């Protein structure tokens, strides 16, 4: 290849399920059967794959185009800094056909009120710590988060205790990305 040219020339091909010489159905069957084995679901033969691919490609393209259009409409509104009332949730069922739009609701806000310590022996010291609590009077939604930096070498039980001491609240669930780290129904490891 000369300078500026690719050593490998690529060209697009059109999917054709009825031509056995192009290997399209062979590839789709092999890929879908690898997925089936991976997830323990029944595998499909070439005829079954051919029947499904004849119906799914047009449906998938239509649905993808429709959803992409609705998402882009919402992105335009976001870029134009439109108010919350201009955004829409969209439910689509192309089999019926049915398109329903609704106005998204704001998540409910809960105001942080620390637990009352009146009448306890430590009421005066707790009242002082609650008065200096940075969260008093703030509101939160399910989409908000609190960050607590207590170092790297700390157990989950110690972290839960430090959070409760600082914010006077108990953690209901803790996750990192898509991984659930803590939920009260999970058993905590015993402290060593």
């Amino acid at each position: 290849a000369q300078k500026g040219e690719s050593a490998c020339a690529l060209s697009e091909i059109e999917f054709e399920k009825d031509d056995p010489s192009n290997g399209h159905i062979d590839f789709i069957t092999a890929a879908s059967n690898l997925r089936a084995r991976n997830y323990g679901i029944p595998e499909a033969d070439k005829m079954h794959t051919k029947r499904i691919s004849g119906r799914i490609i047009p449906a998938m393209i239509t649905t993808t185009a429709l959803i992409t259009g609705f998402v882009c409409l919402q992105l335009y509104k976001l870029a134009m800094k439109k108010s919350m009332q201009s955004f829409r949730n969209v439910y689509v069922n192309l089999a019926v056909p049915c398109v329903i739009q609704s106005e998204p609701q704001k998540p409910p806000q809960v105001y942080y009120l620390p637990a009352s310590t009146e009448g306890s022996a430590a009421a005066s010291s707790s009242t002082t710590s609650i008065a200096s609590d940075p969260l008093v009077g703030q509101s939160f939604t399910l989409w908000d988060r609190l960050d607590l930096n207590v170092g790297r070498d700390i157990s989950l039980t110690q972290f839960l205790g430090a959070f409760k001491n600082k914010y006077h609240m108990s953690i209901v669930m803790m996750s990192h990305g898509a991984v659930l780290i803590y939920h009260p129904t999970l058993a905590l490891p015993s402290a060593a």
Side-chain angles (χ1 to χ4, degrees), residues 10 13 29 40 43 48 59 65 104 106 114 129-130 134 145 155 160 162 191:
L10 299 176
I13 58 172
T29 303
E43 295 183 21
H48 187 65
K106 289 183 179 179
S129 67
I130 290 172
R145 72 178 198 192
S155 70
L160 295 172

Side-chain angles (χ1 to χ4, degrees), residues 75-120:
L75 285 173
Y76 293 144
K77 294 173 188 176
L78 187 64
M80 295 179 345
K81 300 185 185 325
K82 294 287 187 178
S83 68
M84 177 85 163
Q85 289 79 19
S86 69
F87 290 88
R88 294 290 178 264
N89 290 330
V90 180
Y91 170 80
V92 177
N93 184 346
L94 293 178
V96 177
C98 174
V99 177
I100 299 172
Q101 295 187 24
S102 64
E103 190 174 316
Q105 300 297 311
K106 289 183 179 179
Q109 290 193 343
V110 177
Y111 285 89
Y112 172 73
L113 298 171
S116 174
T117 55
E118 290 179 26
S120 68

Side-chain angles (χ1 to χ4, degrees), residues 108-184:
Q109 290 193 343
V110 177
Y111 285 89
Y112 172 73
L113 298 171
S116 174
T117 55
E118 290 179 26
S120 68
S124 60
S125 64
S126 294
T127 304
T128 305
S129 67
I130 290 172
S132 63
D133 191 331
L135 301 179
V136 171
Q138 292 190 28
S139 65
F140 297 94
T141 70
L142 290 174
W143 297 103
D144 291 320
R145 72 178 198 192
L146 295 172
D147 294 321
L148 177 66
N149 186 3
V150 289
R152 294 179 62 106
D153 298 325
I154 187 169
S155 70
L156 179 58
T157 305
Q158 291 170 325
F159 179 84
L160 295 172
F163 188 89
K164 188 169 185 116
N165 287 339
K166 181 169 182 175
Y167 295 118
H168 313 285
M169 295 186 287
S170 297
I171 293 177
V172 176
M173 181 177 67
M174 185 186 319
S175 62
H176 182 270
V179 178
L180 182 63
I181 296 172
Y182 169 75
H183 191 273

